[in-house]
Amino acid sequence: MPLLVSDYSWTQNDSTVYINVPLKGAKAVKVDIVSTDEYLKVSFPPYLFEAFLFEPVDEDRSSAKVGNGVALISLPKRINKQWDQLMITTNDKDKKKEIRERALLRYQEKLSSESRQKAEKRQADKKYTLEMMMKLEKEERENIQKIKDAEREKTAAELAAWQLRQKQEAEEDAKLSQRGSPNQQRAGKQRQENKPSVKLDQRTNSEAKSSKKQADPPPPRVSGNIQITFTPRVFPTALRESRVAEEEEWLNKQAEARRAVNSELLEELKDLKEEQKNPDWLKDKGDKCFASGDYLGAVNAYGLAIRLNRKIPALYSNRAACHLKLRNLHKAIGDASQALDLLTPPVAANAAARVRASVRRGSAFCQLQLYAEGLQDFQAALKIDPHNEALQADTQKIREIVQGSAAETQ
């Protein structure tokens, strides 16, 4: 049997009833409050407070605050008037049981409705994310097709021009062969005037033809140097120096992160294309959404990628940047912190990523006016990249704000 609370207090005005219930040392997380238009229950085992209200209240606008050892419940009245008392005066247990059961049933229906609405919202968000991904993919395909069509038209035009030049050159050669060269004309005249000169004229004519057929040699090729670049190593140190425990641990973590895919979620997303279930593909889509200013779309893309693989730090860091744009500062701090936790151990390969995550978390702290915490993150980033002038300037500005606040406090 629960212990009924009797040392409560209540006040009212024409529009609202306020009830103050002492919690008797119970923690806020263990307090269960049920409120309908005619019934109120505050349960914190082994204690129980319930009220069968004198008049109906507006349950949608009712609110409760739990803290400092009390629960303060505000119940807006449906009819603005003074109540004679807080509860109905009846000892009919059946009537109270009926009211209690009706109230609990309504409360359960309300919870079910809220749960359905949340599920529908999640489904709508998922649908919106997929639609945005499909839209971006379609635009990408269309752009690639346009580039292909332009290249095809350009190639066709160049081929037609080359064929036209070949045709013109063939026509010119045909005209020259029909008309004959000046040497050939002189040779014919000499054959009629002087027969012995035939062989000489024929040899001259043959030499003229061979010189005509020989094209001018092409100019010598221009000499030059070919630039060759090599793929950089992950760790820019000598081979004998790079095999340290931290680098090996980071490489192993990266390889493990690429394999850590949520198989249960893959089963849920089985209707999607194979590429749409790839965290790298989703990250690329999120980057494109962010670049185009669609920060909500980027958050959805990164969120789905994180659900598929929770061990890729870039997903959390990039989503923190989106939350900064959307002014979701606490979420930005959480994502940046998660990225920094995954960017361990600190090695040269993840230095740039640690700088970005630290700056994003520090920016969120500063926008929340927590300048001391923000300064720590900016100083950590500056320690990694000490020659970054923009980072030096931002750190100095925050340091001046912190020093000014300390001087005002003193």
Side-chain angles (χ1 to χ4, degrees):
M1 274 300 283
L3 301 176
L4 299 179
V5 176
S6 59
D7 54 345
Y8 66 91
S9 61
W10 72 287
T11 59
Q12 67 170 325
N13 54 35
D14 288 342
S15 60
T16 310
V17 173
Y18 302 97
I19 303 175
N20 192 319
V21 181
L23 297 179
K24 303 181 184 300
K27 295 183 179 180
V29 294
K30 296 184 177 180
V31 179
D32 180 30
I33 300 177
V34 177
S35 175
T36 65
D37 59 343
E38 57 183 351
Y39 176 77
L40 172 67
K41 182 184 78 169
V42 181
S43 174
F44 48 104
Y47 297 97
L48 172 67
F49 169 79
E50 64 177 356
F52 300 89
L53 301 175
F54 184 73
E55 292 283 349
V57 298
D58 189 348
E59 61 180 286
D60 294 330
R61 294 192 296 123
S62 299
S63 62
K65 294 181 181 180
V66 179
N68 297 326
V70 296
L72 178 61
I73 298 97
S74 301
L75 305 174
K77 300 176 180 177
R78 285 190 179 179
I79 302 174
N80 293 339
K81 68 175 185 178
Q82 290 288 327
W83 289 6
D84 297 336
Q85 54 199 23
L86 176 63
M87 306 182 197
I88 60 175
T89 55
T90 180
N91 293 323
D92 189 349
K93 293 183 179 181
D94 292 336
K95 183 177 181 180
K96 288 183 177 181
K97 181 180 178 182
E98 180 185 353
I99 294 174
R100 184 186 299 112
E101 291 177 351
R102 185 168 61 243
L104 293 177
L105 180 61
R106 289 188 58 182
Y107 183 71
Q108 291 295 331
E109 291 175 351
K110 182 179 179 181
L111 291 179
S112 300
S113 176
E114 292 177 353
S115 178
R116 285 195 302 271
Q117 291 176 359
K118 289 181 180 178
E120 291 173 357
K121 185 178 183 301
R122 285 196 300 269
Q123 188 66 23
D125 291 342
K126 187 186 299 183
K127 182 179 178 182
Y128 172 76
T129 302
L130 294 178
E131 288 176 352
M132 289 300 301
M133 292 177 185
M134 295 172 63
K135 180 180 177 182
L136 290 173
E137 185 180 2
K138 180 180 178 182
E139 292 176 355
E140 186 175 359
R141 287 199 303 268
E142 290 176 351
N143 290 334
I144 293 174
Q145 188 62 40
K146 288 180 181 178
I147 294 173
K148 288 183 178 179
D149 294 341
E151 289 295 331
R152 189 181 296 110
E153 292 176 358
K154 181 180 177 182
T155 304
E158 291 177 353
L159 179 61
W162 179 81
Q163 291 175 344
L164 180 60
R165 287 197 302 270
Q166 293 294 319
K167 183 178 180 181
Q168 292 175 349
E169 291 177 359
E171 291 176 353
E172 291 177 358
D173 291 341
K175 289 180 181 179
L176 288 174
S177 62
Q178 291 176 0
R179 190 167 56 241
S181 64
N183 290 333
Q184 289 175 333
Q185 294 176 0
R186 284 196 302 271
K189 187 176 182 181
Q190 287 179 359
R191 275 197 302 270
Q192 294 177 0
E193 294 177 354
N194 190 7
K195 293 292 182 181
S197 63
V198 171
K199 293 183 179 180
L200 179 62
D201 290 338
Q202 286 177 350
R203 187 169 59 251
T204 304
N205 187 24
S206 176
E207 293 176 355
K209 283 184 178 181
S210 63
S211 63
K212 179 67 178 178
K213 291 180 179 179
Q214 290 180 355
D216 294 334
R221 294 180 179 177
V222 179
S223 61
N225 297 324
I226 299 175
Q227 298 294 331
I228 299 176
T229 58
F230 298 94
T231 303
R233 295 182 65 250
V234 176
F235 302 102
T237 57
L239 181 62
R240 63 181 179 276
E241 298 175 5
S242 66
R243 294 186 180 277
V244 296
E246 290 81 1
E247 295 175 351
E248 293 295 335
E249 182 182 352
W250 170 250
L251 290 176
N252 292 334
K253 285 183 67 175
Q254 289 296 97
E256 181 183 355
R258 294 299 173 190
R259 296 192 296 267
V261 177
N262 189 342
S263 58
E264 295 180 359
L265 186 60
L266 288 177
E267 181 65 22
E268 181 182 342
L269 304 177
K270 61 183 179 181
D271 294 334
L272 299 181
K273 295 181 180 178
E274 193 63 31
E275 61 182 8
Q276 294 174 346
K277 294 182 284 187
N278 186 344
D280 293 328
W281 186 86
L282 291 169
K283 177 182 176 298
D284 183 56
K285 291 300 178 184
D287 295 343
K288 291 179 180 178
C289 289
F290 184 88
S292 63
D294 182 12
Y295 304 122
L296 285 175
V299 166
N300 290 331
Y302 293 137
L304 182 56
I306 289 171
R307 291 179 62 195
L308 286 166
N309 192 328
R310 300 181 181 276
K311 295 186 177 182
I312 301 178
L315 298 174
Y316 292 96
S317 182
N318 291 3
R319 192 170 69 173
C322 297
H323 284 314
L324 274 176
K325 293 290 186 180
L326 296 171
R327 301 286 297 170
N328 298 331
L329 303 178
H330 293 286
K331 293 183 179 179
I333 292 172
D335 279 346
S337 300
Q338 184 65 31
L340 289 171
D341 290 341
L342 292 173
L343 289 167
T344 54
V347 293
N350 57 28
R354 285 185 284 124
V355 169
R356 288 192 294 270
S358 297
V359 169
R360 287 164 183 169
R361 188 172 70 175
S363 300
F365 276 130
C366 290
Q367 292 184 47
L368 288 170
Q369 298 184 359
L370 300 174
Y371 296 108
E373 291 81 354
L375 180 60
Q376 291 179 0
D377 282 329
F378 272 87
Q379 287 175 337
L382 191 60
K383 186 176 180 180
I384 301 171
D385 188 6
H387 302 295
N388 191 323
E389 296 181 357
L391 193 56
Q392 292 174 359
D394 292 339
T395 305
Q396 182 60 30
K397 289 179 182 178
I398 300 171
R399 185 181 292 111
E400 291 173 357
I401 293 173
V402 173
Q403 291 173 352
S405 300
E408 290 178 2
T409 303
Q410 291 175 0

